Amino acid sequence: MPDPPRTGIQTASHWGVYSVQPDGGAVTPFAADPAPSGLIHGLPAIVRDELRIDRPYVRAGFLTETPADPHRRGSDSFVPMSWDDALDLVARELGRVKTTFGNRAIYGGSYGWASAGRLHHAPSLLKRFLGQFGGFVDKIGNHSYGAAFGIMPHVIGRQDINKLVTPWSSIVDHGELVVMFGGAHAKNSQVGGGGAVLHEYRAGMERAAAAGIRFVNISPARADLDPLLDPEWISIRPHGDVAAMLGIAHSLLEEGLCDLGFLHSHCEGFPIFRDYVLGRSDGVAKDPCWAAERSGIAADAILSLARRMARSRTLVTVSWSVQRARHGEQPIWMAVALAAMLGQIGRLGCGFSIGFGAVNGSTASVPDDIPRPTFPIGRNPVADAVPVALVGEMLLDPGGRFEHDGGTFTYPDIRLLYSAGGNPFHHNGDLNRFMAGWRRPETIIVHEHWWGPAARFADIVLPAATTMERNDILAADGQRHFLAMRRVIDPVGEARSDFDIFTALAARLGFVDAYAEGRDEMQWLRHMYDVARPLAIQRGHAMPCFDDFWQDGQVEFSAWREPEALLAAFRADPVGHKLATPSGKIELYSATIASFGYDDCPPHPSWIDHPEWLGGSLAHRFPLHLLSNQPATRLHSQLDPAPLSRASKIDGREPIRIHGDDARRRNISTGDVVRVFNDRGAFAAAAVIDDDLHPGTVQIATGAWYDPINPGELGSLERHGNPNVVTPATGSSRLSQGSAAQTSLVEIELFTDAPRPAPFSGPPFSSP
């Protein structure tokens, strides 16, 4: 008789739940997952790769030079150290900086998705550690939806952007027309911020298609909405969304298609916004012809769409990518304004939705009252925090001033940067300028799994264990499961979990009792679970004891909740259920924002011109608009060396898509190596002809590991295809200071003598 099939040991990730054999054998997807992501094979394939960091390392110059030359970061060799020596060194550096400069000189705003578990979330572990050490400078906002995060409190009194998404069930059962600015690419639903369990996005699409829901994809890329939905594609010029929306708004006003009763009873400032749209306040009517000149959409198409929206139950959606741009607050605000003009906010299947399908689980109907096991971060005694888009400027300009949401603040003087669970060379823009700032701190410490850019450009590198090498609990928002993430293999080399690293450091610095509270990994998991369990039971959710959960490997909560329309209670009773805005209503004009006096974020939704778009003054020098979208073959820069990501490249370079007309003018063919450049820098990529792009648009996925030819030289060509070499590092506006990565004009040329990408490898090493 053959042996029964082995299912392996269950673990989980941002991209799915799976079981894997300890010997690195077969990977088995979670049985209940209807459409597992291919990304689940990535970590088992490279968990023991030669790129793994096997022990602590310190940059050679950091050990031998006094003071150490930060310009050698990225090109210096590394010296292996014992854990005791490395931890002693980290503790000394933290103590030195705190004593000499104070805790305001420590930046711990570590940014990144880290891992999916509730305990081993590296940025949270770091923040608890640094908070108990006396505090640290933190970050504000995020790169995903920073502009929406900043504007929505002023518009509807809410900042919970992840909950401003209409579920598929509401659309299928109650909707008719979905108008999507930026589309909703299915690849984004592979991954979830706290982890993914069930991949049900395609099933939602199938139900919507069967129900006859009509979809309109207003995007520079046809691929931004799946053909399964039989969508109408309206090709739009990048940055043209607000213009198109204003043209729709003008049409609704001129044709008497607005719900004036709703605008009067539920909205603040509509007359001011109306006068702007009609041109009474500035002499410029935002009619369809005006909108066509800026958006690239024909005027009659704008008018026709406005009429269809008015006679249908219409949902207006805006992708996160659209607001990730200069003045990115405006398309978010305009989407709310259009939904308000239609009078459909608060109805099922209608209104507005921000980030539809942006992450796994966002469109599911899952109870939102399930208490999640939580590792307490604690208090940060330092009040200073900097918007994520301005971290590079913070490093480069200590003492400089910046504005944010009505306030004026000073950049701290950072002497020590501690990063865990992220890749600063993925999410920050204008990497050459960022690198100049990266050279200013005296000490940079990172926890890393592999010799990626974060490790190679650090001073002290501590090897961190992966999800396969530790125990944890996946219990993400938007998921109806808790999953046991079991340790599959022993840590590779001398890797340790982030929790164990910080516990050892806390012992050296005198606060281990406060940090670990006398608990090890499994004791913390039990404690976190046991805190959540009585709350869950109190709210009517069955939740077994921890031992039964860990034995069974999962808890499944109610699979269904009757969807409630966003702002339904407010619609029904705008007085009894006021919004948390100054007026208690939806603010189409904000007196608060008006008081800030920002020309880059006026007090009502507005079109704001900018030099860096295809209609701007820079377009004569850089006539192509670069869009850097989320990758399909990895999560951000995670798993870039894994087989799936490598297979998506062309001769080791990231593909860049270009319209055939733009390619022919440059004598470029599919497979050609091209140089992509602007005044901020240049990178090499491999061209792919794609006529399903708006002319003048090029598109490349983010996440290629940063690979400059000469790491010690600012402005050195990046040869792997990292678009953030050319994206801006400015904020979307002074209001939110969100990421503006999608506001990037470039030129592309054939690169006949392009240097080959360096193979994925570790840095040079020196003897201790």
Side-chain angles (χ1 to χ4, degrees), residues 673-685:
V673 181
V674 294
R675 177 175 173 263
V676 185
F677 63 95
N678 59 20
D679 288 336
R680 289 183 282 268
F683 66 87

Side-chain angles (χ1 to χ4, degrees), residues 142-148 319-329 331-332 358 628-630 636 702 732 738-743:
N142 62 52
H143 288 277
S144 296
Y145 48 78
S319 68
W320 289 352
S321 59
V322 167
Q323 56 85 62
R324 203 176 294 129
R326 282 292 291 165
H327 318 302
E329 300 83 3
I332 299 296
S628 46
N629 63 337
Q630 294 302 315
H636 303 320
T702 61
S732 51
S739 172
Q742 304 295 2
T743 302

Side-chain angles (χ1 to χ4, degrees), residues 395-417:
L395 297 176
L396 200 58
D397 187 26
R401 310 279 279 178
F402 69 94
E403 295 178 78
H404 175 250
D405 201 22
T408 301
F409 307 92
T410 301
Y411 289 125
D413 186 359
I414 299 301
R415 301 302 180 106
L416 184 149
L417 186 150

Side-chain angles (χ1 to χ4, degrees), residues 341-362:
M341 294 173 76
L342 294 171
Q344 298 187 14
I345 292 174
R347 291 178 174 167
L348 287 166
C350 308
F352 66 89
S353 187
I354 309 302
F356 185 90
V359 291
N360 181 271
S362 66

